[in-house]
Amino acid sequence: MAFVTQRFLPITKPFTEPKSKPRPTIFLPKGLPQTSGIFSGTNRKRWVVAVAEELDVIPVQSSDSTDQQDGVLARIEVEEEGELVNQVGGFSGEGRFSFEGAGEFQGFSSSSSSSTSSEGQGEAEDVERLIDRSINATIVLAAGSFAVTKLLTIDADYWHGWTIFEILRYAPQHNWSAYEEALKTNPVFAKMVISGVVYSLGDWIAQCYEGKPLFEFDRARMLRSGLVGFTLHGSLSHYYYQFCEALFPFQDWWVVPAKVAFDQTLWAAVWNSIYYTVVGFLRFDSPANVFGELRATFWPMLTAGWKLWPFAHLITYGVIPVEQRLLWVDCVELIWVTILSTYSNEKSEARVSEASAEAASNSPPTGSPEK
C-alpha cells in the first residue's frame, strides 16, 4: 500500500468562484462503475484522480503538469483480474473513504502509547521511591534524636549550672542507674523495650547487609522483627534466665558449660522456631509455606548460632548477673538478628520475586494492538 501526495501547478484557465459552498464532489472517470465499493477493473489501466483542496475537483487523464490543478493527488493503480497493486483507498456507495493500511498506523500508535506508558510508570516508581526514602529518613532521624535526647537529658532536673563537660561526664553513670531502677520497678517491660529496639535495629542492619540503601529499607519487615522482639523475646528471655538458674543451682565448674549447652540446644531451637513462625504469619504466609520453610532452615539456623553464641554465653553465664544478662545478650543480638532476619526473609522474598516475574512474563504487553 502506498499513499502518494503531489503538489500541482496552478490551472491556466480562469474559473468562477461559486456563490455557495456545496459539499466537495468526487468525479470518477467515464466507464468506471459508480456503485463500486473500491476502485477495481479487469483491464490493465491506470487511473489518476485529482482532488482539489476546496471545491473544484476535475478529472485528470493527462500527464501534463499544466493541465493539473493545485491540489492533492490520490493515485490508484489497478492491475488485471482485480488485483490491486498500489492501492490507497476507495469510495463506497455511501461515500465513505476506506484505508486498508490502517494496521500500520495502529501499530505505530500502539508502540507510541506503550513507550509513553513505560515512561509514566518509571516516573511513578521514582516518585514512590523518593517518598519511601523520605519517610524512612524521617523515622530514623526522629528515633535517633529521641534516643540521644533521652540519654543526654537524664540529669535535666538538676543540671542547672553544669557545664557541657559535666553533663557528658555524668550522663552514662546516671543512665545506668536509671536502667537498674527500671529493672527493679518493672523488669519485664524494661527488657521488652530493649529487645524491641535491638530487633528493629538488627533487621535494619540485615537489610543494609543484603544490599539495600541506608534509607530504602522495608519498614514493614523491620516493624515485624521489632514487634516479635518486643512482645516475645524480652518477656520470654526474662523468665527463661530465671528458669535456667533454678535448673542449675550449683556453683561447680561444670555449671557454665552445662548452661551453654542447654541454651544452644533446647532454648535456641525453641526461640528460632518461634521467631521464624511468628514473622511468617505476620507476613500473612500460609501455614504450609511457614512450616515448610521452617523445616528447611531449622538446622542451618541452629548451626549458625553455634558459631557465635557459645563464646558469648561463656560471659553470659559465667560473669553477668541474672538481671543484667538480657542487656548483654541483646548487645550480641545485634549480630545474631542480622543472621536470623536474613534466614527468615530470604526464602519469602525470593518466592515473591519469582511470583512477580512469572506474572509479568504471563501478562500481555502493554499497548499491544488488538487483532
Side-chain angles (χ1 to χ4, degrees):
M1 183 202 71
F3 187 90
V4 182
T5 61
Q6 182 175 349
R7 193 76 175 174
F8 303 103
L9 298 176
I11 193 168
T12 56
K13 53 185 178 180
F15 61 91
T16 305
E17 180 86 11
K19 295 181 181 180
S20 60
K21 290 188 175 182
R23 200 179 280 181
T25 307
I26 304 298
F27 296 93
L28 301 179
K30 294 180 179 180
L32 189 67
Q34 299 293 326
T35 59
S36 176
I38 191 161
F39 287 114
S40 62
T42 58
N43 299 324
R44 182 179 296 275
K45 296 181 180 180
R46 183 178 300 248
W47 295 99
V48 180
V49 181
V51 183
E53 288 181 346
E54 294 291 337
L55 302 173
D56 297 290
V57 181
I58 59 175
V60 177
Q61 295 181 355
S62 174
S63 61
D64 190 358
S65 61
T66 59
D67 294 335
Q68 300 174 2
Q69 185 183 358
D70 187 16
V72 179
L73 178 65
R75 186 176 69 199
I76 301 176
E77 294 180 7
V78 183
E79 293 294 333
E80 276 188 318
E81 298 178 357
E83 180 181 2
L84 301 180
V85 177
N86 189 3
Q87 176 180 352
V88 174
F91 293 92
S92 64
E94 294 80 10
R96 293 192 300 270
F97 190 69
S98 61
F99 287 93
E100 293 188 359
E104 297 182 5
F105 295 99
Q106 184 179 5
F108 176 76
S109 175
S110 300
S111 62
S112 301
S113 62
S114 176
S115 176
T116 304
S117 176
S118 300
E119 293 177 359
Q121 184 178 3
E123 292 178 357
E125 291 178 355
D126 292 339
V127 172
E128 184 178 358
R129 187 180 297 108
L130 179 61
I131 293 175
D132 285 342
R133 188 182 302 173
S134 301
I135 294 175
N136 292 342
T138 302
I139 293 174
V140 172
L141 294 177
S145 300
F146 175 78
V148 172
T149 301
K150 292 294 291 183
L151 292 174
L152 294 179
T153 59
I154 188 68
D155 298 322
D157 294 336
Y158 50 90
W159 69 4
H160 183 71
W162 287 14
T163 63
I164 296 179
F165 175 76
E166 291 174 332
I167 294 174
L168 296 177
R169 175 186 175 184
Y170 292 109
Q173 178 183 352
H174 294 166
N175 276 290
W176 181 258
S177 300
Y179 171 69
E180 289 184 330
E181 186 66 25
L183 289 178
K184 294 177 181 177
T185 57
N186 199 345
V188 176
F189 182 75
K191 295 174 182 178
M192 289 171 62
V193 172
I194 293 174
S195 293
V197 172
V198 167
Y199 270 69
S200 299
L201 290 176
D203 185 82
W204 184 25
I205 295 172
Q207 294 189 47
C208 294
Y209 178 77
E210 293 168 7
K212 294 183 179 180
L214 190 63
F215 292 123
E216 292 187 10
F217 57 87
D218 187 348
R219 293 189 301 274
R221 172 180 161 177
M222 187 177 72
L223 178 62
R224 288 192 294 265
S225 181
L227 185 63
V228 174
F230 175 78
T231 57
L232 296 175
H233 183 263
S235 57
L236 292 179
S237 296
H238 170 77
Y239 294 110
Y240 162 72
Y241 289 123
Q242 291 184 347
F243 170 76
C244 192
E245 287 299 309
L247 186 63
F248 300 96
F250 311 104
Q251 300 296 327
D252 297 330
W253 64 269
W254 55 268
V255 173
V256 172
K259 290 179 180 179
V260 173
F262 180 79
D263 187 288
Q264 286 303 291
T265 52
L266 183 61
W267 170 243
V270 170
W271 172 244
N272 290 347
S273 301
I274 291 174
Y275 178 86
Y276 201 103
T277 303
V278 174
V279 168
F281 283 127
L282 289 177
R283 287 195 306 260
F284 300 103
D285 289 346
S286 63
N289 287 334
V290 172
F291 292 114
E293 294 176 4
L294 176 60
R295 285 193 299 268
T297 58
F298 176 82
W299 183 251
M301 283 194 299
L302 190 63
T303 54
W306 294 347
K307 302 175 183 178
L308 171 67
W309 284 114
F311 307 99
H313 282 325
L314 290 176
I315 300 175
T316 303
Y317 296 105
V319 179
I320 308 298
V322 178
E323 291 299 324
Q324 311 294 343
R325 283 177 184 172
L326 186 60
L327 181 62
W328 159 253
V329 168
D330 279 338
C331 291
V332 184
E333 287 274 4
L334 282 174
I335 303 174
W336 174 240
V337 173
T338 303
I339 302 172
L340 195 64
S341 179
T342 302
Y343 268 108
S344 63
N345 288 280
E346 62 179 357
K347 290 186 177 296
S348 175
E349 293 178 354
R351 188 175 64 251
V352 172
S353 300
E354 291 176 359
S356 300
E358 184 179 357
S361 63
N362 293 334
S363 62
T366 306
S368 59
E370 297 180 359
K371 295 184 180 179

